[in-house]
Amino acid sequence: MQLRWMQGREPAVVEYPEGSRLELGSAPDCALHLLGEGISPRHARLTLGVEGALLEDLGSNWGTAVLRAGERITVGDGSFPLALQDWDIIELGGLMGPPVAALQLEPSREDAPQQILAVRPMTALGGGSQTDRLGATLQTLRDAQERIAKAVALSDVLRTILDTSLDVVRKATHATLILRESPDELGPDAQATYVPILTRVRHADGSLTEEPTGVMTVRSVFRQVIRDRAAILAADAPSGPLGTESLLGASIRSTLAVPLWQGEQVLGVLQLDNRDAPGMFARADVDALGLLAGLGSLALAKTRLIHRLMQLEQELRHDNAFLRRRAGEPGTTIIGNSRAMKELSSQLDRVAVTRVSVLIEGETGVGKELVAHAVHRRSPRAERLFIAQNCAALPEQLLESELFGHRRGSFTGATEDKRGLFEMADGGTLFLDEVTEMPLNLQAKLLRALQEGEVRPLGAQQTRKVNVRIVAATNRKLEGEVAAGRFREDLYYRLNVFPVRVPPLRERRDDIPLLADHFLRHYSLEFGKPVLGFGPGVLELLASHDWPGNVRELENEVQRMVIDAEPDGPVLKEHCSQRLTSELTGTPEKADVGSLKERVERFERRLLLESLAQHDQNKSATARTLGITREGLHKKLKTLGLG
């Protein structure tokens, strides 16, 4: 496959082997390093198969397009890969003007017509009549069968098939396996992508090695194998009319290719070449290799089935571990008899039985995840999984992998396939907390998942259908985030079908005694420390506080009270934090005492302590709320003697 530079640099034609996955962008480690104002660090990905290529936009800022026969096709904004055709022109960064870079896809020259010497239909492979030759071949195949039976890893099976093919066809110097990508996810009629996986080379001394960079394949022969579902023996190119530049450059004297199959589906092609060795392949080689193809097809199908079963076992273990962790978590009951909470409960009852997305709004610490749990428990999905993910807890690529999953090798460190949370929550509910922290690129993919009901793991070519209800939460005003350009307007309307506001604790003070009593009993049991309830005036003191950290702050306060209280004794006012007692006495913390500097420092100290408590001592979140950097927060805490 060849790429011709159309602009932005000196004209050049660069050839890449089939199977290449080329990332295009301004990042230095991209295979095609492109510079320009409209080029993103990871702009697009080009996958070169034997029969064609796929182009995928990686969430670029200024878009990717393909110019085909005068028609411009947009590839971007979270869309799926586009199957390219020969002579397509790839345009990068032209969303708002002329493209920054353009490349043209040209076919390699090995597509010249071949002189076919022998054809064996797939159903007739292994039916040759040359008994002597087949006797020796059967012994070689018996040895290979023993090696394959011991192999579990796919790489070992592939290497055994290639090495045995070189033993069976002694005149072959190169053996290559071209496999159909993701066969388990594709139906028999789906458009397949075939990629060269492994090449083994026989040297003059008889030793076999792996070719690390891949070899040129004869695409015309490969295509005829797939089209006719038959083994193909091609002519000796240098001595006949087939002496094309590409074949002569690869020193291919003759080519033999046989299909690997499972039922009616072609899994791949085993291709043998004669390069540099005298003589050509014979028709008997077709029959001999046909026997190996049958054995190799069974081995390949078996190995992929084992790999799939191992994946399913790993997924089940992951799900079971998740359920065990979830079963061990504290209760998720919403507590409150105030008018505001009764109205909230009525809203949840109305929306829970539907399929619509729910947007939960409220300050930090009000219990938005508990409300999401309530939506799930009251819905028909209650018997399936409820999965929560904080969108601010992971960087962009890890969050994308966590939500949508990834295929092995899709990025550095992806050593195995992984299911995403969307697939795990299939049939259940996925709770996305702090959804406004999701990067814009991921917002586009989330929108497509909501609209189409399907997701595509990182590095995969096929989508997977999912049936997931989304419950999202935010402590910000989404309208403001949309106006500021930090949140997609179309995603906002998709999520904001049924907004629910969770009132802050200061708006439902009647619930404070109920919540305090619940936390007291919970932590008394957890710490194994019996406490006789609240002493005189403690509940009144708790009810008078504004609780800027809401229910989470109240929970932390009661937890400290239980720790400080005497066993078998009540919680007294002296067990309350200084922040609460100072409000009652009006001393040390009163702001109208002392110099201006002292008053400002007292105010700043109280503000910082309240903000830290509100965010569970999370300094990054506290700094973000206060509008300062994390380093600035550290400096301020140290200045005030709090760090």
Side-chain angles (χ1 to χ4, degrees):
M1 192 74 65
Q2 299 178 150
L3 293 177
R4 178 182 296 274
W5 296 93
M6 303 294 293
Q7 64 187 77
R9 55 180 288 178
E10 295 183 4
V13 177
V14 183
E15 177 133 4
Y16 295 94
E18 290 88 354
S20 299
R21 293 180 184 270
L22 310 176
E23 285 199 352
L24 293 69
S26 60
D29 59 340
C30 283
L32 294 181
H33 185 204
L34 309 173
L35 298 178
E37 186 176 350
I39 302 296
S40 300
R42 293 281 188 275
H43 197 106
R45 182 186 292 119
L46 189 62
T47 301
L48 303 180
V50 176
E51 79 295 353
L54 296 173
L55 178 64
E56 176 185 6
D57 185 90
L58 299 180
S60 63
N61 294 327
W62 296 101
T64 304
V66 169
L67 189 62
R68 176 183 298 165
E71 178 186 1
R72 195 169 189 272
I73 306 171
T74 300
V75 184
D77 200 19
S79 61
F80 296 124
L82 175 69
L84 298 180
Q85 300 176 7
D86 291 342
W87 309 109
D88 279 354
I89 297 177
I90 302 169
E91 297 182 341
L92 305 177
L95 183 63
M96 303 299 292
V100 178
L103 308 95
Q104 188 169 37
L105 191 71
E106 298 183 357
S108 299
R109 295 173 182 171
E110 69 266 15
D111 289 336
Q114 301 293 300
Q115 180 182 356
I116 303 302
L117 299 183
V119 176
R120 293 284 190 277
M122 196 167 68
T123 54
L125 288 178
S129 60
Q130 302 197 23
T131 309
D132 294 340
R133 173 65 184 276
L134 290 179
T137 299
L138 287 174
Q139 181 59 49
T140 302
L141 293 178
R142 278 194 292 268
D143 296 340
Q145 187 174 23
E146 293 180 3
R147 296 198 301 271
I148 289 176
K150 297 177 182 178
V152 177
L154 178 62
S155 58
D156 294 338
V157 173
L158 299 182
R159 190 175 295 106
T160 300
I161 293 174
L162 290 176
D163 290 354
T164 304
S165 69
L166 291 173
D167 287 340
V168 170
V169 183
R170 301 302 301 176
K171 292 180 181 179
T173 58
H174 293 68
T176 300
L177 268 172
I178 306 166
L179 297 183
R180 183 180 186 180
E181 196 168 68
S182 305
D184 297 327
E185 302 172 11
L186 301 173
D189 299 325
Q191 181 179 358
T193 299
Y194 292 88
V195 177
I197 300 297
L198 185 65
T199 296
R200 298 283 284 176
V201 180
R202 191 204 322 266
H203 300 283
D205 60 0
S207 62
L208 303 179
T209 62
E210 186 171 322
E211 180 64 36
T213 58
V215 298
M216 291 178 62
T217 58
V218 184
R219 287 198 291 171
S220 57
V221 172
F222 164 82
R223 287 169 174 167
Q224 186 168 348
V225 171
I226 299 297
R227 184 186 69 242
D228 297 343
R229 309 169 68 79
I232 303 296
L233 173 60
D236 183 351
S239 63
L242 301 177
T244 63
E245 179 182 345
S246 59
L247 291 175
L248 290 173
S251 302
I252 298 177
R253 304 178 65 84
S254 57
T255 295
L256 172 58
V258 297
L260 303 174
W261 67 92
Q262 182 181 16
E264 294 299 314
Q265 185 183 82
V266 177
L267 301 177
V269 173
L270 172 60
Q271 178 175 307
L272 271 64
D273 297 327
N274 182 348
R275 309 180 185 213
D276 304 326
M280 290 174 50
F281 297 144
R283 287 173 173 80
D285 292 324
V286 180
D287 296 321
L289 199 61
L291 288 174
L292 176 61
L295 176 61
S297 299
L298 292 174
L300 183 60
K302 178 205 73 172
T303 305
R304 280 182 157 160
L305 177 59
I306 292 175
H307 179 67
R308 179 59 180 156
L309 290 175
M310 292 174 65
Q311 277 187 310
L312 291 174
E313 182 182 13
Q314 184 179 14
E315 292 169 2
L316 287 174
R317 287 178 178 175
H318 190 276
D319 291 351
N320 287 337
F322 181 87
L323 289 171
R324 285 194 296 270
R325 289 196 304 271
R326 180 64 66 190
E329 292 178 356
T332 55
T333 303
I334 297 178
I335 297 173
N337 289 326
S338 63
R339 180 178 179 181
M341 294 306 292
K342 289 180 179 178
E343 174 59 28
L344 174 62
S345 181
S346 177
Q347 286 183 296
L348 299 184
D349 286 336
R350 290 195 296 269
V351 73
V353 295
T354 70
R355 298 182 55 190
V356 302
S357 301
V358 178
L359 178 64
I360 304 173
E361 300 174 314
E363 299 176 3
T364 299
V366 294
K368 295 187 288 293
E369 185 168 349
L370 292 183
V371 175
H373 266 290
V375 172
H376 176 71
R377 288 197 313 273
R378 302 180 192 188
S379 74
R381 301 170 180 262
E383 298 301 318
R384 306 302 292 270
L385 278 179
F386 172 90
I387 298 179
Q389 175 61 48
N390 189 318
C391 298
L394 296 173
E396 179 175 350
Q397 187 179 50
L398 290 182
L399 179 59
E400 182 177 5
S401 170
E402 193 71 15
L403 292 176
F404 303 108
H406 64 250
R407 295 293 304 277
R408 179 170 60 90
S410 57
F411 57 87
T412 303
T415 57
E416 58 186 19
D417 291 351
K418 176 185 175 182
R419 284 202 308 163
L421 296 184
F422 267 93
E423 289 187 71
M424 288 182 59
D426 191 17
T429 303
L430 179 58
F431 173 56
L432 300 177
D433 198 7
E434 297 192 53
V435 70
T436 52
E437 300 298 325
M438 182 178 289
L440 285 170
N441 291 337
L442 277 187
Q443 291 179 27
K445 296 186 177 182
L446 173 61
L447 177 63
R448 186 173 186 91
L450 292 174
Q451 290 176 334
E452 307 297 335
E454 58 187 24
V455 296
R456 182 166 55 87
L458 280 169
Q461 302 297 336
Q462 301 298 316
T463 60
R464 299 177 181 179
K465 286 289 185 181
V466 291
N467 175 17
V468 177
R469 183 187 201 158
I470 295 296
V471 179
T474 177
N475 57 6
R476 303 183 187 180
K477 290 294 185 183
L478 271 186
E479 296 89 342
E481 297 298 302
V482 171
R486 293 187 292 267
F487 201 82
R488 294 179 62 106
E489 186 175 11
D490 45 7
L491 179 59
Y492 164 71
Y493 289 120
R494 176 66 64 170
L495 292 177
N496 198 39
V497 177
F498 194 90
V500 173
R501 177 181 178 269
V502 184
L505 197 52
R506 61 183 176 274
E507 293 182 9
R508 53 182 186 113
R509 295 183 186 273
D510 294 346
D511 294 331
I512 292 177
L514 292 174
L515 289 165
D517 183 66
H518 168 76
F519 293 136
L520 182 72
R521 286 186 282 105
H522 173 76
Y523 286 110
S524 295
L525 183 63
E526 180 178 322
F527 298 153
K529 184 177 183 180
V531 178
L532 299 181
F534 294 101
V538 176
L539 288 176
E540 290 79 3
L541 178 60
L542 295 177
S544 65
H545 184 57
D546 280 342
W547 302 108
N550 292 296
V551 179
R552 186 179 297 140
E553 183 186 0
L554 174 62
E555 181 180 2
N556 293 339
E557 181 73 26
V558 175
Q559 184 178 11
R560 285 192 295 268
M561 289 177 174
V562 174
I563 294 173
D564 289 340
E566 296 294 330
D568 298 316
V571 172
L572 304 174
K573 289 182 181 179
E574 62 191 56
H575 300 138
C576 298
S577 64
Q578 184 182 2
R579 184 171 62 258
L580 266 67
T581 56
S582 64
E583 292 178 357
L584 181 66
T585 61
T587 53
E589 295 292 329
K590 197 168 182 180
D592 58 353
V593 177
S595 66
L596 176 62
K597 180 181 178 182
E598 291 171 338
R599 298 182 190 185
V600 170
E601 286 182 349
R602 281 198 297 271
F603 173 79
E604 288 183 333
R605 185 180 291 107
R606 179 174 180 177
L607 178 62
L608 291 176
L609 289 173
E610 289 179 350
S611 296
L612 285 168
Q614 181 180 359
H615 294 287
D616 277 346
Q617 306 303 314
N618 185 316
K619 294 181 179 178
S620 297
T622 300
R624 197 160 50 240
T625 300
L626 296 175
I628 60 177
T629 64
R630 182 182 174 91
E631 292 75 15
L633 177 61
H634 276 292
K635 184 177 179 181
K636 181 64 71 174
L637 291 173
K638 186 175 181 180
T639 302
L640 297 174
L642 301 174

